[in-house]
Amino acid sequence: FDFVCCGFDGEMADFISQMSQLWHQHNGTQLAKVAMAHRPPNEPPETEGTDMAGLLQTHCRCQYLGARSDVNELREAYLLREKTIHMLLPTGKTGLLCLGSEFLLPLLKRFLLQLRDLALLCDGSSKEDDG
């Protein structure tokens, strides 16, 4: 997979470049750690891309919104995390996780754990709004 920094500059381009390097080294554990530690300072734009660059952009948007306290933003982060999981799973036309890319399993594991955490945050936030 080639990582294209489609018009990104600064921090986002650096992040994509670092992830690309880890991808080519097949260093899944470090790739997962770097991905989950990344918190963009500004809200990344939405994307419909299903390649690795699209996954990373969707991931960054999820990370940004998941760090917010607004329940609607948390719900959007949950939906985005679901989207990134589906982008990794080998189903349909997409599926970045395939034979030869098992090193992405730690990333999938982190995405699934964060999905659970976001669900708990959304549930807690909606109970606070109701109460």
Side-chain angles (χ1 to χ4, degrees):
F1 291 103
D2 288 325
F3 291 66
V4 180
C5 296
C6 324
F8 295 118
D9 57 356
E11 178 266 337
M12 187 68 174
D14 291 343
F15 172 68
I16 290 176
S17 175
Q18 185 177 18
M19 294 298 285
S20 175
Q21 183 179 12
L22 292 169
W23 170 278
H24 291 296
Q25 294 172 357
H26 292 196
N27 190 339
T29 302
Q30 191 61 28
L31 187 134
K33 285 180 184 176
V34 169
M36 298 312 289
H38 181 70
R39 296 275 189 272
N42 301 311
E43 186 173 0
E46 293 183 38
T47 182
E48 292 301 318
T50 57
D51 58 356
M52 194 62 181
L55 173 80
L56 292 178
Q57 189 172 347
T58 302
H59 165 72
C60 287
R61 188 166 171 77
C62 176
Q63 290 290 90
Y64 176 83
L65 293 171
R68 316 289 288 173
S69 58
D70 179 74
V71 69
N72 292 325
E73 290 176 319
L74 290 173
R75 286 180 180 142
E76 185 178 347
Y78 180 90
L79 294 173
L80 290 170
R81 182 52 67 217
E82 277 186 327
K83 182 179 177 180
T84 60
I85 290 168
H86 288 291
M87 291 169 80
L88 279 175
L89 294 176
T91 57
K93 291 188 284 183
T94 62
L96 298 171
L97 183 61
C98 58
L99 190 62
S101 64
E102 297 91 354
F103 65 92
L104 290 177
L105 286 172
L107 184 62
L108 178 61
K109 178 183 175 186
R110 297 272 183 119
F111 281 5
L112 290 167
L113 290 171
Q114 188 185 36
L115 186 68
R116 179 207 60 200
D117 294 345
L118 287 167
L120 292 171
L121 282 172
C122 288
D123 186 48
S125 294
S126 63
K127 285 181 183 175
E128 289 173 16
D129 290 345
D130 294 340

